[in-house]
Amino acid sequence: MAETFSKRERRKKKIERRREKELRRDERRNTVTKGKSLDEMMAYVDENGNLSETPPDPKKSYTIAAEEIVIDIPKAAPADSEELPTGVISYFDPAKGYGFIVDEQTKERLFVHVKSLAQPDMELNTGDRVSYTAMRSQRGMQAVAVMKR
């Protein structure tokens, strides 16, 4: 039985794609074996932080103590260690008993629950200024000992 034109064209395209794939694979294999030596692949960083092919001058090198290296930026400590951080209630749902506080300095958002209020009968509303103590919980930062200002 004779093969239709479309089937024959599909088969030709499939064979051509397979051949192209084999050629690409062979090229990758050849470039790996024909690669440069380790010395040719080395890159150095100069005193300005730019990449270069020449190794640095050992006379210009100096050692740095590991304690001097700062990996991250420390968070700013409050001006008065006795003063509690303050914030504004950005959202509070009294029916559900939870909300969020936005810290005035860091703009960090903290979770607040009715159980973590300093006075259990205190009511919080959106826009109230409060002071609190921050504590890390399982789900992130949480405000405890919350008091209105």
Side-chain angles (χ1 to χ4, degrees):
M1 186 164 173
E3 195 173 28
T4 62
F5 177 76
S6 61
K7 285 184 180 179
R8 194 174 331 131
E9 289 298 313
R10 270 189 262 140
R11 186 171 42 84
K12 285 180 184 178
K13 287 181 182 179
K14 187 176 179 180
I15 291 169
E16 184 62 29
R17 282 192 304 256
R18 188 178 300 148
R19 188 177 303 126
E20 288 174 3
K21 186 176 179 180
E22 288 174 7
L23 287 173
R24 287 192 307 266
R25 184 179 59 216
D26 290 342
E27 286 176 9
R28 279 195 311 267
R29 286 181 182 168
N30 290 338
T31 57
V32 170
T33 57
K34 291 181 185 177
K36 300 176 182 177
S37 68
L38 181 62
D39 292 333
E40 292 172 338
M41 290 189 293
M42 278 299 231
Y44 301 98
V45 180
D46 64 3
E47 62 272 1
N48 299 323
N50 300 321
L51 293 177
S52 73
E53 295 177 0
T54 58
D57 186 15
K59 295 175 187 172
K60 293 183 179 179
S61 67
Y62 54 93
T63 58
I64 298 174
E67 297 83 31
E68 294 177 6
I69 299 173
V70 178
I71 295 175
D72 61 347
I73 301 170
K75 289 190 176 182
D80 185 11
S81 60
E82 296 295 320
E83 186 177 322
L84 294 174
T86 59
V88 178
I89 303 289
S90 65
Y91 170 80
F92 193 80
D93 187 355
K96 295 182 180 178
Y98 74 92
F100 296 95
I101 298 174
V102 175
D103 190 294
E104 288 180 342
Q105 289 182 338
T106 63
K107 304 298 183 207
E108 184 180 8
R109 201 166 174 203
L110 296 110
F111 177 80
V112 62
H113 195 271
V114 175
K115 293 180 182 178
S116 61
L117 299 177
Q119 301 162 346
D121 58 338
M122 182 173 54
E123 291 183 19
L124 294 177
N125 297 314
T126 303
D128 288 347
R129 291 189 72 221
V130 294
S131 60
Y132 60 90
T133 304
M135 180 183 83
R136 182 166 299 282
S137 68
Q138 291 177 345
R139 293 187 176 185
M141 294 303 287
Q142 182 174 351
V144 295
V146 179
M147 296 179 291
K148 277 189 181 179
R149 296 198 91 198

